[in-house]
Amino acid sequence: MADCLFCRIIRREIPAQIVQEDEHALVFRDIQPQAPTHVLVIPKKHFGSLLDTSDADAVLLGRLQAAARRFAAEAGLSSFRLVANNGRGAGQSVDHLHYHLLAGRAMQWPPG
Ligand code: DGP
């Protein structure tokens, strides 16, 4: 997607603090961190949100969780939250599927 912000980060057209990368996924620091540790886990393939994926993408979706787990393990996180906002009503502002990984402070439940 030519004008997608996160696709542009993947292509290195916009700078980001990338902390992990493989063939399928990118993990980088959120520009507006909501916790001491706040990274975004994204697929390199463009999906607007989880609703734009299908059962055929199950392996790729699993890879995103694996990337999140690797980051958490390497960062020594014993607890963290992994969350995806899907749709404006849920707070999604960037239309490229992404999981927020937040850690380093007490978390509330349910989230607001
Ligand atoms: P959401 O609101 O759930 O769609 O999350 C989008 C996140 O993306 C939000 O926490 C801020 C982050 N973000 C927006 N623009 C940029 C950017 O240019 N660079 C980085 N690293 N993060 C961004």
Side-chain angles (χ1 to χ4, degrees):
M1 292 280 286
D3 56 353
C4 166
L5 176 63
F6 288 175
C7 287
R8 295 189 69 196
I9 287 176
I10 292 165
R11 293 196 300 267
R12 307 297 203 273
E13 293 172 6
I14 293 175
Q17 279 188 271
I18 295 168
V19 294
Q20 189 189 116
E21 180 171 23
D22 64 21
E23 187 184 343
H24 304 283
L26 195 71
V27 183
F28 57 98
R29 299 206 183 274
D30 195 293
I31 205 168
Q32 295 173 315
Q34 303 299 315
T37 298
H38 185 174
V39 298
L40 301 171
V41 182
I42 69 169
K44 288 189 171 178
K45 181 177 178 181
H46 180 90
F47 300 98
S49 81
L50 198 55
L51 287 172
D52 297 313
T53 68
S54 73
D55 289 356
D57 301 307
V59 171
L60 175 58
L61 293 172
R63 290 185 196 281
L64 298 179
Q65 290 203 54
R69 185 257 303 147
R70 279 199 305 277
F71 173 81
E74 287 166 11
L77 303 177
S78 57
S79 56
F80 62 91
R81 178 167 290 169
L82 188 65
V83 62
N85 300 323
N86 291 279
R88 291 290 177 269
Q92 183 175 8
S93 61
V94 177
D95 292 333
H96 182 123
L97 173 62
H98 53 283
Y99 290 87
H100 297 257
L101 188 159
L102 303 118
R105 65 164 169 80
M107 303 280 167
Q108 307 299 319
W109 191 261

